[in-house]
Amino acid sequence: MIVVVDGAARGLSERIRDVRAAGDAVLIADPRWSDSQRAGIARRASGTAVPAGTAWATLTSGSSGAARIVLRTAESWEASFDTVADLLDVGPDDILALPSPPAASLTLFSLAHAAAGGPRVRLGVDAAATCLHGTPENLRAVLDRGAPDAMRVALVGGSAVDPALRARAEAAGIRVIAYYGAAELSFVAVDLGDGLRAFPGAELDVRGGEVWVRSAFVASGYLGSDGPLRRAGRWATVGDRAEWDDGRLRLRGRRDGAILSASATVVPEDVEVSLREIPGVRDAVVFGMPRPGVGALVAALVEIDAGAAIDLRAEAGERLAPSHRPRRWFVGEIPRTPSGKPARAEIARQVEDAPWCP
């Protein structure tokens, strides 16, 4: 069974160990969830049978109503523990800072690693930290505040590390190990400063413009739903577009139009489902608005029934995780193609200079 553990609870590592010792799977609840979000996730987690051997469950790419729960075995993460330790040159005496919430799959990975004898972990960043696992935004924030003197290496995922950030970290004495992966695939490729290459233990292939991986790190699948994970024999993909460039993997975005916003992967259709559930909302289209530093802001164009009075931000706050809530709202008629589908390219063009709802 899946046990939902409060990500804000004291003694989180001990609670995780207890759940795993009992043979159950761990799913970390984000303390930022509303009560209704948490209740909905708990119902799904407890109401659906999980495959034997499931050890970890994480949420990805969705809202509370359409969230995908990714299931994986203990072995799928354990298979990479030694490689991660070797890449970082860390051991059980090191202190690993985890700035991202415990509900994030990258943080839960490191909590699992610690439970198996990896570096000790600290939620957040303190002066004793010797290493870090987080997003580029996490690393940037650490550098802005002044990195701990003891910190010497950072494992960075979630989105690409730009050369300026890498150079800034290295100037502060912090070696950067960047990687590309996904909640469903775990580690796919690693960048030591000269581009993405296959992560040790992973085989890569680009087929039809999509990156496919064969490794022991791939998740088992989803709990009671479908998602972007596809398989062909032992190979798997989540639809990320890519190409080879002089032996390096160059990523080209998601086929499903996912928005990378502050290192969260937001699938527009998942957010749209929740927005359409708001009373008085006729239709909604979600898209990304490129912005330096965060990749893209999540934005929404909403058609509202005549006479409806809606607090869109409040309603979205009850239905969506913080990373998936639109930051820019536009209200009006949705442009459509001749077939009646939303004309997404036209929407993005129209709203770029349009006033948005505060």
Side-chain angles (χ1 to χ4, degrees):
M1 63 177 289
I2 296 176
V3 175
V4 180
V5 178
D6 186 354
R10 295 175 62 88
L12 179 60
S13 295
E14 291 76 10
R15 177 62 174 143
I16 290 173
R17 282 196 291 267
D18 290 344
V19 172
R20 289 296 305 120
D24 294 323
V26 174
L27 189 155
I28 303 295
D30 192 327
R32 300 173 298 175
W33 292 345
S34 67
D35 290 343
S36 60
Q37 284 176 293
R38 176 162 182 156
I41 294 300
R43 281 194 301 271
R44 291 185 58 199
S46 62
T48 308
V50 298
T54 301
W56 308 103
T58 61
L59 267 69
T60 184
S61 301
S63 64
S64 62
R68 298 183 180 99
I69 299 178
V70 178
L71 306 177
R72 60 172 56 252
T73 64
E75 294 78 12
S76 67
W77 271 347
E78 290 170 356
S80 62
F81 286 168
D82 287 346
T83 299
V84 169
D86 289 344
L87 284 170
L88 298 179
D89 190 22
V90 297
D93 292 332
D94 281 285
I95 297 177
L96 178 66
L98 299 173
S100 290
S105 60
L106 62 80
T107 301
L108 186 56
F109 169 88
S110 286
L111 289 167
H113 191 184
R120 293 173 289 165
V121 294
R122 298 284 191 277
L123 296 177
V125 181
D126 61 30
T130 60
C131 44
L132 175 144
H133 185 192
T135 66
E137 286 70 28
N138 294 150
L139 177 59
R140 187 175 291 108
V142 166
L143 295 172
D144 287 345
R145 292 193 300 265
D149 291 339
M151 187 172 289
R152 66 179 189 275
V153 63
L155 181 65
V156 184
S159 60
V161 175
D162 64 76
L165 179 60
R166 181 186 289 273
R168 185 181 172 196
E170 291 175 350
I174 300 173
R175 185 167 53 95
V176 176
I177 309 295
Y179 67 90
Y180 152 63
E184 297 92 338
L185 305 177
S186 194
F187 296 103
V188 175
V190 63
D191 181 359
L192 304 181
D194 60 350
L196 286 168
R197 302 173 183 268
F199 190 87
E203 297 177 67
L204 302 186
D205 192 14
V206 176
R207 308 175 185 175
E210 290 181 328
V211 58
W212 288 75
V213 61
R214 181 166 64 178
S215 76
F217 317 144
V218 179
S220 307
Y222 302 102
L223 179 69
S225 68
D226 295 322
L229 177 64
R230 290 180 284 128
R231 300 178 188 272
R234 295 176 57 198
W235 291 85
T237 185
V238 292
D240 287 340
R241 293 178 294 179
E243 62 186 20
W244 291 113
D245 182 3
D246 193 24
R248 289 12 176 227
L249 188 71
R250 185 180 295 277
L251 299 174
R252 295 300 189 190
R254 290 281 288 268
R255 285 203 187 280
D256 58 14
I259 303 163
L260 294 180
S261 180
S263 299
T265 303
V266 181
V267 176
E269 290 79 2
D270 291 338
V271 180
E272 290 165 1
V273 167
S274 287
L275 296 183
R276 291 180 189 127
E277 293 174 349
I278 299 173
V281 170
R282 179 183 297 116
D283 202 358
V285 175
V286 173
F287 51 95
M289 298 185 71
R291 290 294 183 273
V294 298
L297 295 176
V298 179
L301 173 59
V302 181
E303 280 188 1
I304 296 177
D305 290 332
I310 308 169
D311 186 338
L312 290 169
R313 291 184 183 276
E315 293 285 352
E318 285 296 314
R319 291 167 168 78
L320 296 163
S323 58
H324 290 61
R325 296 170 192 163
R327 306 300 172 180
R328 294 290 185 269
W329 294 91
F330 302 88
V331 176
E333 185 176 353
I334 294 175
R336 299 183 182 276
T337 66
S339 65
K341 296 179 180 179
R344 294 180 181 272
E346 176 64 14
I347 291 167
R349 186 192 67 79
Q350 286 187 8
V351 306
E352 185 60 36
D353 297 317
W356 48 279
C357 302

